[in-house]
Amino acid sequence: MNQAVTRYDTASRYLHWLTAALLAAQFVVAWTMPDITRQTPAIGLVAWHLSLGVTILGLVAIRLMWTRVRRAPAQGVKSRLQALAAVAHKGIYALLVLVPVLGWINASSRGYGVSLLGVVPLPALVARGSSFGHSMGDVHSLLAYGLLGAIALHICGALYHHWVLRDGTLHKMLPVQKQPKPGAYQ
């Protein structure tokens, strides 16, 4: 029996919202931590930023593996705009990998130790003092703003589905709310 999936599975929903919560925390930490200079130690908010970054990277890796084994809900007919949004969604995933990796490269060039959850030490990605690593810090910051913009568009798309198209797409990803009955939004 091959029934259509009407909602994302529990793991997908919780991985999505955990990623969103960690990203929100990461942006708050990033905006409140001190400017990083040559003398800035990797303590306090800087250490939190590093730890959150690699945690997000690990979580995204799990999400990407999970998307290979789970069935996504049926999407129906896609407009050109929705097809473009699907490409943008892949761009979000790319940024969710690229931004932390560039931050890790920059941290390595500064001699900062990077660890997963503050417990599992990770290897340096470039040598301490690497000019490439230092320049990746600027790219990291720039792409982080791009990620923030892409997330804002993602949220706008979800709200567009909910309030304009009224197609129940948002309910497919909400963590605990039950899927509305078919036709509830028509």
Side-chain angles (χ1 to χ4, degrees):
M1 177 159 19
N2 194 8
Q3 291 183 335
V5 177
T6 59
R7 189 154 196 237
Y8 284 94
D9 60 276
T10 302
S12 294
R13 291 191 320 267
Y14 282 99
L15 287 169
H16 174 273
W17 291 105
L18 180 56
T19 303
L22 289 175
L23 282 167
Q26 181 69 307
F27 278 106
V28 168
V29 168
W31 284 321
T32 57
M33 71 182 193
D35 287 335
I36 296 179
T37 65
R38 291 186 192 275
Q39 293 79 30
T40 306
I43 59 172
L45 291 175
V46 174
W48 272 100
H49 185 70
L50 296 172
S51 186
L52 281 169
V54 294
T55 302
I56 290 167
L57 182 61
L59 188 59
V60 170
I62 292 167
R63 286 185 68 183
L64 289 170
M65 287 185 281
W66 185 248
T67 60
R68 295 284 187 203
V69 297
R70 63 109 171 116
R71 265 178 77 196
Q75 298 297 319
V77 178
K78 285 186 181 180
S79 69
R80 291 179 110 183
L81 183 60
Q82 288 170 313
L84 181 61
V87 172
H89 196 256
K90 290 181 188 335
I92 290 173
Y93 272 108
L95 288 170
L96 285 171
V97 170
L98 194 56
V99 171
V101 167
L102 292 175
W104 184 358
I105 289 170
N106 182 255
S108 297
S109 73
R110 294 176 180 283
Y112 294 167
V114 177
S115 61
L116 181 60
L117 302 172
V119 176
V120 180
L122 300 173
L125 296 182
V126 296
R128 184 179 187 149
S130 163
S131 60
F132 169 76
H134 285 299
S135 64
M136 288 305 101
D138 293 333
V139 178
H140 166 77
S141 296
L142 182 65
L143 290 181
Y145 284 110
L147 176 59
L148 187 60
I151 291 168
L153 288 173
H154 179 71
I155 292 168
C156 289
L159 296 176
Y160 176 78
H161 272 279
H162 185 69
W163 285 322
V164 176
L165 296 179
R166 302 177 60 85
D167 62 4
T169 296
L170 180 62
H171 290 279
K172 293 177 184 180
M173 187 51 82
L174 291 177
V176 292
Q177 188 171 351
K178 291 182 181 177
Q179 173 76 11
K181 292 183 173 127
Y185 289 102
Q186 310 302 306

